[in-house]
Amino acid sequence: MAGKESIIEIENVFKTFRTYEQLGTGPLSSLRKKKIDKRALRGASLSINRGDMIALLGKNGSGKSTLIKLLVGIMPPDTGSIKMLGLEPWRDRITLARKFGVVLGAHPVLYTDLPAIDSFDYMRKIYRIPKGVFDKRLEYLINLLELKDVYKRPVRELSLGESMKCNFVAAVLHFPEIVILDEPTIGVDLPSMLNLRQTVLDLNKKYGTTFIISTHILEDVKVLAERVAIINEGRIVFNGTKGALSRMFGDKKIVEVFFKKKPAGIDSVGKIISRKSGYVEFEVGADRIKSKSLSSLLADREVLDYNISDPDISYILEIFYSEIKSGGGT
């Protein structure tokens, strides 16, 4: 995009892993194995600008986790190049560690037998954050995440939501330029989820923090992401706004109708998405919203209420993956 600074450049990256498959069954069969080369990334390319809020989406096994590991410098690509803030992650890990943060939902970094504040102070020393700066940042994050009555208790006594919020604080105390969130709200209660989302939005707005969000929670995508990158079989198959993703499948609207008695002709107005007693949800082209057939249906005296909206991100992604599976995708 013109006028924006690109801070992550992923160009034609390939990565293959060697794994093994057991041959046969029975005693000692585990000793007989066949080597299998699994190609996790197949020419993945992606550019991310400073201040972006980008969701990295894909089904299990699509290559998301491998791409994240390459970004944080755990391993190098086989071929291709990755530059983060002009540096190569696997060659410049120590320098880059001060410039990015990582929140891995399934892998907390807090010491469970100690209060979270002790882990925060440990992070302060690792990142050499001046005490005055640390205190101000901690107060800011504690207030946003509503952790005032939590962060001085042993982590093992905290709820999952409280623990996840403390884990987030530990990852961003050094105020990194880039934060990678891998399933940051999985299994978290609703209040904690809302706190985490609001904190991400606040950091992005106030400090221009760039966020890469890998998630299966589509509400995270809806609330947080401005852009979407979809990875499938190791390739980036879509990179653009949520609106652009929707427009790939035409300009559509979702109509929900609630009724006492099923109105005549409701099955022929549009593509039925779901139905149950007293309710039908269907898809229509945006140009048919003012059509006589739909207007007549919605004016039927049996109709109690109706709602017309844009397709939800989950529905759009369902169509997208169906297109890919059928061979009609990008």
Side-chain angles (χ1 to χ4, degrees), residues 225-287:
E226 298 164 349
R227 287 175 55 202
V228 173
I230 300 177
I231 187 168
N232 184 66
E233 296 183 350
R235 299 183 181 90
I236 303 294
V237 294
F238 177 83
N239 174 26
T241 66
K242 290 179 288 188
L245 179 61
S246 178
R247 288 192 295 273
M248 284 180 63
F249 304 100
D251 197 3
K252 303 180 188 300
K253 295 289 182 181
I254 303 299
V255 181
E256 298 172 281
V257 179
F258 302 84
F259 50 83
K260 291 185 293 184
K261 181 181 177 183
K262 184 178 175 181
I266 194 169
D267 291 331
S268 61
V269 173
K271 178 184 175 184
I272 301 295
I273 299 172
S274 65
R275 68 169 79 228
K276 54 188 177 183
S277 179
Y279 171 84
V280 171
E281 179 184 22
F282 54 90
E283 170 198 295
V284 298
D287 58 344

Short mmCIF file of all heavy atoms in Angstrom, two decimals, residues 225-287:
data_model
loop_
_atom_site.label_atom_id
_atom_site.label_comp_id
_atom_site.label_asym_id
_atom_site.label_seq_id
_atom_site.Cartn_x
_atom_site.Cartn_y
_atom_site.Cartn_z
N ALA A 225 -8.97 -7.79 13.17
CA ALA A 225 -8.20 -7.75 11.93
C ALA A 225 -8.75 -6.77 10.90
O ALA A 225 -9.96 -6.66 10.72
CB ALA A 225 -8.13 -9.14 11.31
N GLU A 226 -7.83 -6.04 10.26
CA GLU A 226 -8.19 -5.20 9.12
C GLU A 226 -7.93 -5.96 7.82
O GLU A 226 -8.64 -5.79 6.84
CB GLU A 226 -7.36 -3.91 9.15
CG GLU A 226 -7.60 -3.06 10.39
CD GLU A 226 -6.52 -2.02 10.59
OE1 GLU A 226 -5.48 -2.09 9.89
OE2 GLU A 226 -6.71 -1.13 11.45
N ARG A 227 -6.88 -6.78 7.84
CA ARG A 227 -6.52 -7.59 6.68
C ARG A 227 -6.58 -9.06 7.04
O ARG A 227 -6.50 -9.44 8.20
CB ARG A 227 -5.09 -7.26 6.22
CG ARG A 227 -4.90 -5.93 5.54
CD ARG A 227 -3.42 -5.71 5.25
NE ARG A 227 -2.84 -6.79 4.48
CZ ARG A 227 -1.53 -7.06 4.46
NH1 ARG A 227 -0.68 -6.33 5.16
NH2 ARG A 227 -1.07 -8.05 3.72
N VAL A 228 -6.69 -9.88 6.01
CA VAL A 228 -6.72 -11.33 6.17
C VAL A 228 -5.73 -11.95 5.19
O VAL A 228 -5.72 -11.59 4.01
CB VAL A 228 -8.13 -11.89 5.90
CG1 VAL A 228 -8.11 -13.42 5.89
CG2 VAL A 228 -9.13 -11.38 6.92
N ALA A 229 -4.89 -12.84 5.69
CA ALA A 229 -4.04 -13.66 4.83
C ALA A 229 -4.43 -15.11 5.08
O ALA A 229 -4.39 -15.58 6.23
CB ALA A 229 -2.56 -13.44 5.14
N ILE A 230 -4.82 -15.81 4.03
CA ILE A 230 -5.25 -17.21 4.17
C ILE A 230 -4.17 -18.10 3.57
O ILE A 230 -3.74 -17.91 2.43
CB ILE A 230 -6.58 -17.46 3.46
CG1 ILE A 230 -7.67 -16.56 4.07
CG2 ILE A 230 -6.99 -18.92 3.57
CD1 ILE A 230 -9.02 -16.68 3.41
N ILE A 231 -3.73 -19.07 4.35
CA ILE A 231 -2.71 -20.01 3.89
C ILE A 231 -3.36 -21.38 3.71
O ILE A 231 -4.15 -21.82 4.53
CB ILE A 231 -1.53 -20.06 4.89
CG1 ILE A 231 -0.38 -20.89 4.34
CG2 ILE A 231 -1.96 -20.53 6.26
CD1 ILE A 231 0.91 -20.75 5.13
N ASN A 232 -3.04 -22.00 2.59
CA ASN A 232 -3.60 -23.32 2.28
C ASN A 232 -2.52 -24.17 1.62
O ASN A 232 -1.91 -23.75 0.63
CB ASN A 232 -4.80 -23.20 1.34
CG ASN A 232 -5.46 -24.54 1.08
OD1 ASN A 232 -6.02 -25.14 1.99
ND2 ASN A 232 -5.39 -25.01 -0.16
N GLU A 233 -2.24 -25.33 2.20
CA GLU A 233 -1.21 -26.24 1.69
C GLU A 233 0.11 -25.51 1.47
O GLU A 233 0.79 -25.71 0.47
CB GLU A 233 -1.68 -26.93 0.41
CG GLU A 233 -2.89 -27.84 0.65
CD GLU A 233 -3.30 -28.58 -0.61
OE1 GLU A 233 -2.79 -28.25 -1.70
OE2 GLU A 233 -4.15 -29.48 -0.50
N GLY A 234 0.46 -24.64 2.43
CA GLY A 234 1.76 -23.99 2.39
C GLY A 234 1.87 -22.77 1.51
O GLY A 234 2.96 -22.21 1.37
N ARG A 235 0.76 -22.34 0.90
CA ARG A 235 0.78 -21.16 0.02
C ARG A 235 -0.19 -20.12 0.54
O ARG A 235 -1.26 -20.46 1.06
CB ARG A 235 0.40 -21.53 -1.41
CG ARG A 235 1.31 -22.54 -2.08
CD ARG A 235 0.86 -22.78 -3.52
NE ARG A 235 1.70 -23.75 -4.22
CZ ARG A 235 1.46 -25.05 -4.24
NH1 ARG A 235 0.38 -25.54 -3.61
NH2 ARG A 235 2.26 -25.87 -4.88
N ILE A 236 0.16 -18.85 0.40
CA ILE A 236 -0.78 -17.77 0.71
C ILE A 236 -1.73 -17.65 -0.47
O ILE A 236 -1.34 -17.25 -1.57
CB ILE A 236 -0.05 -16.43 0.93
CG1 ILE A 236 0.99 -16.56 2.05
CG2 ILE A 236 -1.06 -15.34 1.26
CD1 ILE A 236 0.44 -16.83 3.42
N VAL A 237 -2.99 -18.04 -0.26
CA VAL A 237 -3.96 -18.07 -1.36
C VAL A 237 -4.87 -16.85 -1.37
O VAL A 237 -5.62 -16.64 -2.32
CB VAL A 237 -4.80 -19.37 -1.31
CG1 VAL A 237 -3.92 -20.58 -1.59
CG2 VAL A 237 -5.52 -19.52 0.03
N PHE A 238 -4.81 -16.06 -0.30
CA PHE A 238 -5.54 -14.78 -0.29
C PHE A 238 -4.82 -13.82 0.63
O PHE A 238 -4.37 -14.19 1.72
CB PHE A 238 -6.99 -14.94 0.19
CG PHE A 238 -7.72 -13.63 0.27
CD1 PHE A 238 -8.30 -13.08 -0.86
CD2 PHE A 238 -7.80 -12.93 1.48
CE1 PHE A 238 -8.94 -11.84 -0.80
CE2 PHE A 238 -8.43 -11.70 1.55
CZ PHE A 238 -9.01 -11.16 0.40
N ASN A 239 -4.71 -12.56 0.22
CA ASN A 239 -4.10 -11.52 1.03
C ASN A 239 -4.81 -10.21 0.71
O ASN A 239 -4.64 -9.65 -0.37
CB ASN A 239 -2.60 -11.41 0.73
CG ASN A 239 -1.95 -10.24 1.45
OD1 ASN A 239 -2.43 -9.80 2.50
ND2 ASN A 239 -0.87 -9.74 0.89
N GLY A 240 -5.65 -9.75 1.62
CA GLY A 240 -6.40 -8.51 1.37
C GLY A 240 -7.33 -8.20 2.52
O GLY A 240 -7.26 -8.82 3.59
N THR A 241 -8.21 -7.25 2.32
CA THR A 241 -9.16 -6.86 3.36
C THR A 241 -10.30 -7.87 3.46
O THR A 241 -10.54 -8.66 2.54
CB THR A 241 -9.75 -5.48 3.06
OG1 THR A 241 -10.54 -5.56 1.86
CG2 THR A 241 -8.66 -4.43 2.89
N LYS A 242 -11.03 -7.81 4.58
CA LYS A 242 -12.19 -8.69 4.74
C LYS A 242 -13.25 -8.36 3.69
O LYS A 242 -13.93 -9.26 3.18
CB LYS A 242 -12.75 -8.54 6.15
CG LYS A 242 -11.86 -9.12 7.23
CD LYS A 242 -12.43 -8.93 8.62
CE LYS A 242 -12.34 -7.48 9.06
NZ LYS A 242 -12.72 -7.30 10.49
N GLY A 243 -13.36 -7.07 3.35
CA GLY A 243 -14.32 -6.67 2.32
C GLY A 243 -13.97 -7.24 0.97
O GLY A 243 -14.84 -7.70 0.22
N ALA A 244 -12.66 -7.25 0.65
CA ALA A 244 -12.21 -7.80 -0.63
C ALA A 244 -12.48 -9.30 -0.69
O ALA A 244 -12.85 -9.84 -1.74
CB ALA A 244 -10.73 -7.51 -0.84
N LEU A 245 -12.32 -9.98 0.46
CA LEU A 245 -12.61 -11.41 0.51
C LEU A 245 -14.08 -11.67 0.24
O LEU A 245 -14.44 -12.58 -0.52
CB LEU A 245 -12.23 -11.95 1.89
CG LEU A 245 -12.47 -13.44 2.15
CD1 LEU A 245 -11.67 -14.30 1.18
CD2 LEU A 245 -12.12 -13.80 3.59
N SER A 246 -14.94 -10.84 0.81
CA SER A 246 -16.38 -10.98 0.60
C SER A 246 -16.75 -10.75 -0.86
O SER A 246 -17.56 -11.48 -1.45
CB SER A 246 -17.14 -10.00 1.50
OG SER A 246 -18.52 -10.09 1.28
N ARG A 247 -16.12 -9.73 -1.48
CA ARG A 247 -16.46 -9.38 -2.86
C ARG A 247 -16.00 -10.44 -3.87
O ARG A 247 -16.49 -10.48 -5.00
CB ARG A 247 -15.85 -8.03 -3.22
CG ARG A 247 -16.56 -6.85 -2.54
CD ARG A 247 -16.13 -5.53 -3.12
NE ARG A 247 -14.72 -5.25 -2.86
CZ ARG A 247 -14.28 -4.65 -1.74
NH1 ARG A 247 -15.14 -4.28 -0.79
NH2 ARG A 247 -12.99 -4.41 -1.59
N MET A 248 -15.07 -11.30 -3.46
CA MET A 248 -14.64 -12.38 -4.36
C MET A 248 -15.80 -13.29 -4.74
O MET A 248 -15.78 -13.92 -5.79
CB MET A 248 -13.54 -13.23 -3.68
CG MET A 248 -12.17 -12.58 -3.64
SD MET A 248 -10.97 -13.65 -2.82
CE MET A 248 -10.95 -15.06 -3.94
N PHE A 249 -16.80 -13.35 -3.89
CA PHE A 249 -17.93 -14.26 -4.13
C PHE A 249 -19.20 -13.49 -4.45
O PHE A 249 -20.32 -13.99 -4.27
CB PHE A 249 -18.12 -15.16 -2.90
CG PHE A 249 -16.88 -15.90 -2.53
CD1 PHE A 249 -16.05 -15.46 -1.50
CD2 PHE A 249 -16.49 -17.01 -3.26
CE1 PHE A 249 -14.89 -16.13 -1.19
CE2 PHE A 249 -15.32 -17.69 -2.96
CZ PHE A 249 -14.52 -17.25 -1.92
N GLY A 250 -19.02 -12.26 -4.94
CA GLY A 250 -20.17 -11.46 -5.33
C GLY A 250 -20.71 -10.66 -4.16
O GLY A 250 -20.39 -10.91 -3.00
N ASP A 251 -21.50 -9.69 -4.47
CA ASP A 251 -22.09 -8.83 -3.46
C ASP A 251 -23.35 -9.50 -2.94
O ASP A 251 -24.37 -9.54 -3.63
CB ASP A 251 -22.40 -7.46 -4.09
CG ASP A 251 -22.62 -6.39 -3.04
OD1 ASP A 251 -22.47 -6.72 -1.84
OD2 ASP A 251 -22.93 -5.26 -3.41
N LYS A 252 -23.28 -10.05 -1.72
CA LYS A 252 -24.39 -10.84 -1.19
C LYS A 252 -24.89 -10.26 0.12
O LYS A 252 -24.19 -9.52 0.81
CB LYS A 252 -23.95 -12.29 -0.98
CG LYS A 252 -23.41 -12.97 -2.23
CD LYS A 252 -23.01 -14.40 -1.95
CE LYS A 252 -22.29 -15.03 -3.14
NZ LYS A 252 -23.11 -15.06 -4.34
N LYS A 253 -26.12 -10.61 0.46
CA LYS A 253 -26.71 -10.25 1.74
C LYS A 253 -27.29 -11.50 2.39
O LYS A 253 -27.68 -12.46 1.71
CB LYS A 253 -27.82 -9.21 1.56
CG LYS A 253 -27.36 -7.86 1.03
CD LYS A 253 -26.56 -7.09 2.08
CE LYS A 253 -26.15 -5.72 1.56
NZ LYS A 253 -25.36 -4.96 2.57
N ILE A 254 -27.32 -11.49 3.71
CA ILE A 254 -27.91 -12.58 4.47
C ILE A 254 -29.24 -12.10 5.06
O ILE A 254 -29.29 -11.05 5.72
CB ILE A 254 -26.98 -13.06 5.61
CG1 ILE A 254 -25.62 -13.48 5.04
CG2 ILE A 254 -27.62 -14.20 6.38
CD1 ILE A 254 -25.69 -14.63 4.05
N VAL A 255 -30.31 -12.84 4.80
CA VAL A 255 -31.64 -12.48 5.28
C VAL A 255 -32.10 -13.53 6.28
O VAL A 255 -32.08 -14.73 6.00
CB VAL A 255 -32.65 -12.38 4.13
CG1 VAL A 255 -34.03 -11.98 4.66
CG2 VAL A 255 -32.17 -11.39 3.07
N GLU A 256 -32.50 -13.07 7.47
CA GLU A 256 -33.05 -13.95 8.49
C GLU A 256 -34.53 -13.60 8.67
O GLU A 256 -34.87 -12.42 8.83
CB GLU A 256 -32.33 -13.77 9.82
CG GLU A 256 -30.84 -14.11 9.76
CD GLU A 256 -30.13 -13.72 11.04
OE1 GLU A 256 -29.82 -12.52 11.19
OE2 GLU A 256 -29.89 -14.61 11.88
N VAL A 257 -35.37 -14.61 8.64
CA VAL A 257 -36.82 -14.39 8.75
C VAL A 257 -37.38 -15.23 9.89
O VAL A 257 -37.13 -16.44 9.98
CB VAL A 257 -37.54 -14.78 7.43
CG1 VAL A 257 -39.04 -14.56 7.57
CG2 VAL A 257 -37.00 -13.96 6.26
N PHE A 258 -38.12 -14.57 10.78
CA PHE A 258 -38.80 -15.24 11.90
C PHE A 258 -40.30 -15.19 11.63
O PHE A 258 -40.83 -14.12 11.29
CB PHE A 258 -38.47 -14.53 13.22
CG PHE A 258 -37.00 -14.45 13.53
CD1 PHE A 258 -36.22 -13.42 12.99
CD2 PHE A 258 -36.39 -15.39 14.34
CE1 PHE A 258 -34.87 -13.34 13.26
CE2 PHE A 258 -35.04 -15.32 14.62
CZ PHE A 258 -34.26 -14.29 14.07
N PHE A 259 -40.98 -16.31 11.78
CA PHE A 259 -42.39 -16.33 11.41
C PHE A 259 -43.22 -17.23 12.32
O PHE A 259 -42.69 -18.11 13.02
CB PHE A 259 -42.54 -16.82 9.96
CG PHE A 259 -41.79 -18.09 9.66
CD1 PHE A 259 -42.33 -19.34 9.97
CD2 PHE A 259 -40.53 -18.05 9.07
CE1 PHE A 259 -41.64 -20.51 9.71
CE2 PHE A 259 -39.84 -19.22 8.80
CZ PHE A 259 -40.39 -20.45 9.11
N LYS A 260 -44.54 -16.97 12.33
CA LYS A 260 -45.49 -17.82 13.06
C LYS A 260 -45.76 -19.09 12.26
O LYS A 260 -45.71 -20.19 12.77
CB LYS A 260 -46.80 -17.06 13.29
CG LYS A 260 -46.70 -15.90 14.26
CD LYS A 260 -48.08 -15.29 14.52
CE LYS A 260 -48.62 -14.61 13.27
NZ LYS A 260 -49.92 -13.92 13.53
N LYS A 261 -46.06 -18.85 10.99
CA LYS A 261 -46.35 -19.95 10.07
C LYS A 261 -45.53 -19.72 8.82
O LYS A 261 -45.39 -18.59 8.36
CB LYS A 261 -47.85 -19.97 9.72
CG LYS A 261 -48.26 -21.09 8.80
CD LYS A 261 -49.76 -21.00 8.51
CE LYS A 261 -50.19 -22.06 7.52
NZ LYS A 261 -51.63 -21.93 7.17
N LYS A 262 -44.95 -20.76 8.28
CA LYS A 262 -44.04 -20.63 7.15
C LYS A 262 -44.73 -19.95 5.97
O LYS A 262 -45.72 -20.44 5.43
CB LYS A 262 -43.55 -22.02 6.73
CG LYS A 262 -42.53 -21.99 5.61
CD LYS A 262 -42.07 -23.41 5.30
CE LYS A 262 -41.13 -23.43 4.11
NZ LYS A 262 -40.68 -24.81 3.78
N PRO A 263 -44.21 -18.77 5.53
CA PRO A 263 -44.84 -18.05 4.41
C PRO A 263 -44.65 -18.81 3.10
O PRO A 263 -43.63 -19.48 2.89
CB PRO A 263 -44.09 -16.72 4.37
CG PRO A 263 -43.38 -16.61 5.68
CD PRO A 263 -43.09 -18.01 6.10
N ALA A 264 -45.60 -18.68 2.19
CA ALA A 264 -45.50 -19.31 0.88
C ALA A 264 -44.36 -18.68 0.09
O ALA A 264 -44.13 -17.48 0.14
CB ALA A 264 -46.82 -19.14 0.13
N GLY A 265 -43.62 -19.53 -0.61
CA GLY A 265 -42.57 -19.04 -1.49
C GLY A 265 -41.24 -18.73 -0.82
O GLY A 265 -40.30 -18.29 -1.49
N ILE A 266 -41.12 -19.00 0.48
CA ILE A 266 -39.87 -18.65 1.17
C ILE A 266 -38.69 -19.48 0.69
O ILE A 266 -37.54 -19.02 0.69
CB ILE A 266 -40.05 -18.78 2.71
CG1 ILE A 266 -38.88 -18.07 3.42
CG2 ILE A 266 -40.16 -20.24 3.13
CD1 ILE A 266 -39.09 -17.92 4.91
N ASP A 267 -38.97 -20.69 0.23
CA ASP A 267 -37.88 -21.57 -0.21
C ASP A 267 -37.29 -21.17 -1.55
O ASP A 267 -36.22 -21.64 -1.93
CB ASP A 267 -38.38 -23.03 -0.30
CG ASP A 267 -38.66 -23.62 1.07
OD1 ASP A 267 -38.01 -23.18 2.04
OD2 ASP A 267 -39.54 -24.49 1.18
N SER A 268 -37.96 -20.31 -2.28
CA SER A 268 -37.50 -19.96 -3.63
C SER A 268 -36.89 -18.56 -3.72
O SER A 268 -36.47 -18.13 -4.79
CB SER A 268 -38.67 -20.07 -4.62
OG SER A 268 -39.71 -19.17 -4.26
N VAL A 269 -36.85 -17.83 -2.61
CA VAL A 269 -36.36 -16.45 -2.64
C VAL A 269 -34.84 -16.39 -2.76
O VAL A 269 -34.29 -15.52 -3.44
CB VAL A 269 -36.85 -15.67 -1.39
CG1 VAL A 269 -36.21 -14.29 -1.32
CG2 VAL A 269 -38.35 -15.55 -1.41
N GLY A 270 -34.14 -17.30 -2.07
CA GLY A 270 -32.68 -17.30 -2.10
C GLY A 270 -32.13 -18.64 -1.69
O GLY A 270 -32.87 -19.61 -1.51
N LYS A 271 -30.81 -18.72 -1.54
CA LYS A 271 -30.14 -19.95 -1.16
C LYS A 271 -30.28 -20.16 0.35
O LYS A 271 -29.79 -19.37 1.14
CB LYS A 271 -28.67 -19.89 -1.54
CG LYS A 271 -27.86 -21.11 -1.13
CD LYS A 271 -26.39 -20.91 -1.46
CE LYS A 271 -25.55 -22.08 -0.95
NZ LYS A 271 -24.11 -21.85 -1.19
N ILE A 272 -30.95 -21.23 0.75
CA ILE A 272 -31.18 -21.51 2.16
C ILE A 272 -29.86 -21.90 2.84
O ILE A 272 -29.13 -22.77 2.36
CB ILE A 272 -32.21 -22.64 2.35
CG1 ILE A 272 -33.54 -22.28 1.69
CG2 ILE A 272 -32.39 -22.93 3.84
CD1 ILE A 272 -34.26 -21.11 2.30
N ILE A 273 -29.56 -21.21 3.95
CA ILE A 273 -28.35 -21.50 4.72
C ILE A 273 -28.69 -22.38 5.92
O ILE A 273 -28.00 -23.36 6.20
CB ILE A 273 -27.68 -20.20 5.20
CG1 ILE A 273 -27.25 -19.36 3.99
CG2 ILE A 273 -26.48 -20.50 6.09
CD1 ILE A 273 -26.77 -17.98 4.38
N SER A 274 -29.74 -22.00 6.64
CA SER A 274 -30.17 -22.81 7.78
C SER A 274 -31.65 -22.58 8.04
O SER A 274 -32.22 -21.56 7.64
CB SER A 274 -29.36 -22.47 9.03
OG SER A 274 -29.61 -21.14 9.45
N ARG A 275 -32.24 -23.54 8.70
CA ARG A 275 -33.66 -23.42 9.03
C ARG A 275 -33.94 -24.21 10.30
O ARG A 275 -33.27 -25.19 10.61
CB ARG A 275 -34.55 -23.92 7.88
CG ARG A 275 -34.47 -25.41 7.65
CD ARG A 275 -35.56 -25.89 6.69
NE ARG A 275 -35.25 -25.63 5.30
CZ ARG A 275 -36.09 -25.07 4.45
NH1 ARG A 275 -37.29 -24.71 4.86
NH2 ARG A 275 -35.76 -24.89 3.19
N LYS A 276 -34.93 -23.75 11.05
CA LYS A 276 -35.46 -24.48 12.19
C LYS A 276 -36.88 -23.99 12.40
O LYS A 276 -37.37 -23.16 11.63
CB LYS A 276 -34.58 -24.28 13.43
CG LYS A 276 -34.33 -22.82 13.81
CD LYS A 276 -33.30 -22.74 14.93
CE LYS A 276 -32.99 -21.28 15.26
NZ LYS A 276 -31.94 -21.17 16.28
N SER A 277 -37.52 -24.50 13.43
CA SER A 277 -38.92 -24.13 13.66
C SER A 277 -39.07 -22.62 13.82
O SER A 277 -38.46 -22.00 14.69
CB SER A 277 -39.43 -24.83 14.92
OG SER A 277 -40.77 -24.48 15.19
N GLY A 278 -39.85 -22.01 12.92
CA GLY A 278 -40.12 -20.59 13.00
C GLY A 278 -39.00 -19.68 12.51
O GLY A 278 -39.04 -18.47 12.76
N TYR A 279 -38.03 -20.27 11.81
CA TYR A 279 -36.86 -19.45 11.40
C TYR A 279 -36.24 -20.00 10.12
O TYR A 279 -36.08 -21.21 9.95
CB TYR A 279 -35.82 -19.47 12.52
CG TYR A 279 -34.48 -18.86 12.16
CD1 TYR A 279 -34.27 -17.49 12.26
CD2 TYR A 279 -33.42 -19.67 11.75
CE1 TYR A 279 -33.03 -16.94 11.95
CE2 TYR A 279 -32.18 -19.12 11.43
CZ TYR A 279 -31.99 -17.76 11.54
OH TYR A 279 -30.78 -17.21 11.23
N VAL A 280 -35.87 -19.09 9.21
CA VAL A 280 -35.13 -19.47 8.00
C VAL A 280 -34.07 -18.39 7.74
O VAL A 280 -34.34 -17.20 7.87
CB VAL A 280 -36.05 -19.60 6.76
CG1 VAL A 280 -35.21 -19.77 5.50
CG2 VAL A 280 -36.98 -20.78 6.90
N GLU A 281 -32.88 -18.84 7.40
CA GLU A 281 -31.79 -17.93 7.03
C GLU A 281 -31.38 -18.26 5.60
O GLU A 281 -31.16 -19.43 5.27
CB GLU A 281 -30.60 -18.10 7.96
CG GLU A 281 -29.41 -17.20 7.64
CD GLU A 281 -28.21 -17.48 8.52
OE1 GLU A 281 -28.12 -18.60 9.09
OE2 GLU A 281 -27.34 -16.60 8.65
N PHE A 282 -31.31 -17.24 4.73
CA PHE A 282 -30.92 -17.51 3.35
C PHE A 282 -30.06 -16.38 2.79
O PHE A 282 -30.00 -15.28 3.34
CB PHE A 282 -32.15 -17.77 2.47
CG PHE A 282 -33.19 -16.68 2.52
CD1 PHE A 282 -33.15 -15.61 1.63
CD2 PHE A 282 -34.24 -16.74 3.43
CE1 PHE A 282 -34.12 -14.63 1.66
CE2 PHE A 282 -35.22 -15.75 3.46
CZ PHE A 282 -35.16 -14.69 2.57
N GLU A 283 -29.40 -16.69 1.69
CA GLU A 283 -28.50 -15.75 1.02
C GLU A 283 -29.15 -15.26 -0.27
O GLU A 283 -29.73 -16.05 -1.02
CB GLU A 283 -27.18 -16.45 0.70
CG GLU A 283 -26.24 -15.68 -0.20
CD GLU A 283 -25.18 -16.59 -0.80
OE1 GLU A 283 -24.36 -17.14 -0.05
OE2 GLU A 283 -25.18 -16.77 -2.05
N VAL A 284 -29.03 -13.95 -0.52
CA VAL A 284 -29.52 -13.38 -1.78
C VAL A 284 -28.49 -12.40 -2.31
O VAL A 284 -27.67 -11.87 -1.56
CB VAL A 284 -30.88 -12.64 -1.59
CG1 VAL A 284 -31.95 -13.58 -1.12
CG2 VAL A 284 -30.73 -11.46 -0.65
N GLY A 285 -28.52 -12.17 -3.60
CA GLY A 285 -27.67 -11.15 -4.17
C GLY A 285 -28.12 -9.77 -3.70
O GLY A 285 -29.32 -9.53 -3.52
N ALA A 286 -27.17 -8.86 -3.47
CA ALA A 286 -27.52 -7.53 -2.96
C ALA A 286 -28.49 -6.80 -3.89
O ALA A 286 -29.31 -6.00 -3.44
CB ALA A 286 -26.25 -6.71 -2.77
N ASP A 287 -28.44 -7.13 -5.18
CA ASP A 287 -29.32 -6.46 -6.14
C ASP A 287 -30.78 -6.94 -6.03
O ASP A 287 -31.67 -6.37 -6.64
CB ASP A 287 -28.81 -6.66 -7.56
CG ASP A 287 -28.70 -8.14 -7.94
OD1 ASP A 287 -28.73 -9.00 -7.02
OD2 ASP A 287 -28.58 -8.42 -9.14
#
